[in-house]
């Protein structure tokens, strides 16, 4: 049995459960509402891409979590994984098929969201959207979708039960997004760094904070937007003011943040597969 066959079979399975349809409709619908709701307030659609980026980091991972956390852990708990691996089919092919099907849905959903955003912006805003800007935004967002979905699939491959997979995925979301980027006012990366540094009585340099802050998929994604999407409008809107004068630290460099996203997209699934390859399936 080939990777393509397993991937298509897996996709049909999740499609019948309406998970795929729910993920696509929910995300695309929210994107459309965000752009429609802002069209009467902001004449330029580039301003609304700020809200879109928030949807990508805070909401999108929660939508794809149900699609990904059962990818492999669900088969292991049901016992159906023995059927898939006895067709014959190697663990590598099985894992790759699951990764392709689940991250593929995440990537397509994100791409559809950007397309809908561009169409709505074209139809409702006073100023036409910049095609190159939206293509760049789409490419970065799709890479983020692949990275975060890959992390979730890797976690699904690393545990034996649905409950552990669920807690692992939502824990990863909290750490890599809400905690790392600083969404929570008290419990965030910055406060932890300050607490750790206070023990020996040192101060964490801002350049080091920038590097550490960029090491999660969400941090890298947010760091890429000022460099590649908003570079020409950072002084035009108040919402961009906090990031308008970022120093030239390594952690803010576009190539470094692209590298971080790429490492997550490739490295997390590789680690998940290595754990799955040697796991006792029962």
């Amino acid at each position: 049995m080939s990777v393509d066959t397993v991937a298509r079979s897996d996709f049909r399975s999740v499609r019948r459960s309406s998970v795929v349809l729910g993920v696509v409709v929910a995300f695309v619908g929210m994107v459309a509402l965000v752009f429609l709701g802002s069209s009467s307030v902001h004449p330029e659609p580039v301003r609304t891409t700020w809200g879109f980026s928030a949807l990508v980091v805070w909401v999108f991972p929660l939508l794809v979590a149900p699609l990904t956390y059962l990818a492999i852990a669900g088969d292991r708990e049901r016992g159906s994984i023995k059927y898939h691996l006895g067709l014959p089919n190697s663990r590598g092919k099985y894992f790759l098929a699951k990764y392709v099907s689940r991250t593929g849905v995440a990537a397509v959903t994100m791409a559809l969201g950007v397309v809908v955003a561009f169409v709505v912006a074209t139809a409702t805003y006073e100023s036409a959207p910049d095609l190159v800007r939206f293509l760049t935004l789409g490419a970065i967002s799709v890479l983020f979708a692949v990275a975060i979905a890959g992390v979730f699939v890797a976690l699904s491959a690393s545990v034996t039960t649905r409950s552990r997979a669920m807690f692992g995925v939502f824990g990863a979301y909290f750490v890599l997004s809400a905690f790392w980027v600083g969404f929570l006012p008290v419990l965030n990366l910055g406060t932890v760094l300050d607490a750790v540094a206070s023990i020996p009585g040192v101060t964490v340099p801002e350049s080091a904070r920038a590097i550490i802050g960029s090491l999660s998929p969400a941090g890298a994604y947010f760091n890429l937007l000022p460099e590649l999407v908003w570079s020409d409008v950072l002084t035009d809107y108040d919402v961009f003011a906090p990031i308008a004068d970022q120093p030239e630290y390594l952690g803010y460099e576009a190539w470094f943040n692209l590298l971080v996203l790429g490492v997550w997209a490739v490295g997390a699934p590789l680690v998940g597969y290595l754990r799955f390859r040697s796991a006792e399936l029962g």
Side-chain angles (χ1 to χ4, degrees):
M1 179 174 277
S2 66
V3 171
D4 178 66
T5 302
V6 178
R8 283 190 284 109
S9 174
D10 183 60
F11 177 76
R12 286 195 298 268
S13 175
V14 294
R15 185 183 61 187
R16 285 195 295 267
S17 68
S18 301
V19 174
V20 173
L21 181 62
V23 169
V24 174
V25 171
F27 182 70
V28 171
M30 283 187 284
V31 170
L33 288 175
V34 165
F35 275 83
L36 279 172
S38 298
S39 61
S40 60
V41 180
H42 307 295
E44 300 274 353
V46 64
R47 169 61 178 77
T48 311
T49 59
W50 174 271
F52 173 84
S53 69
L55 277 181
V56 169
V57 170
W58 307 128
V59 178
F60 182 79
L62 293 176
L63 293 177
V64 299
L67 174 71
T68 50
Y69 85 87
L70 293 178
I72 297 174
D75 285 352
R76 292 179 69 175
E77 188 171 84
R78 288 190 301 267
S80 58
I81 193 171
K82 295 180 180 179
Y83 165 77
H84 291 294
L85 295 178
L87 289 177
N89 199 26
S90 69
R91 293 195 186 195
K93 288 182 179 180
Y94 170 81
F95 179 89
L96 181 59
K98 290 286 187 175
Y99 172 78
V100 168
S101 65
R102 304 303 170 104
T103 58
V105 171
V108 170
T109 300
M110 183 64 71
L112 285 174
V114 176
V115 169
V116 168
F118 183 81
V119 171
V120 171
T122 301
T124 59
Y125 282 76
E126 293 181 18
S127 301
D130 185 329
L131 178 59
V132 174
R133 191 191 310 277
F134 271 77
L135 287 174
T136 305
L137 175 65
I140 298 171
S141 301
V142 167
L143 180 57
F144 172 81
V146 171
I148 202 69
V151 171
F152 292 170
V153 172
L155 287 168
S156 181
S158 302
V159 297
T160 57
T161 64
R162 298 184 182 192
S163 59
R164 290 180 181 178
M166 181 180 68
F167 283 117
V169 163
F170 285 106
Y173 164 76
F174 170 78
V175 172
L176 297 178
S177 291
F179 169 80
W180 210 274
V181 179
F183 180 73
L184 302 176
V186 177
L187 185 58
N188 58 60
L189 180 63
T191 58
V192 170
L193 288 177
D194 289 337
V196 172
S198 66
I199 297 175
V202 299
T203 301
V204 180
E206 290 301 317
S207 57
R209 288 177 180 271
I211 292 176
I212 296 171
S214 70
L215 295 181
S216 80
Y221 177 78
F222 274 139
N223 284 344
L224 283 169
L225 298 179
E227 293 290 321
L228 301 182
V229 179
W230 301 326
S231 59
D232 60 329
V233 296
L234 288 176
T235 58
D236 296 345
Y237 301 95
D238 291 340
V239 71
F240 297 134
I243 57 176
D245 297 318
Q246 285 183 338
E248 296 182 358
Y249 295 147
L250 175 63
Y252 297 135
E253 293 288 339
W255 70 266
F256 182 78
N257 288 280
L258 283 171
L259 178 63
V260 169
L261 275 181
V263 168
W264 278 105
V266 176
L270 179 59
V271 172
Y273 166 67
L274 292 176
R275 287 182 59 84
F276 175 67
R277 185 180 64 176
S278 58
E280 176 60 52
L281 301 181

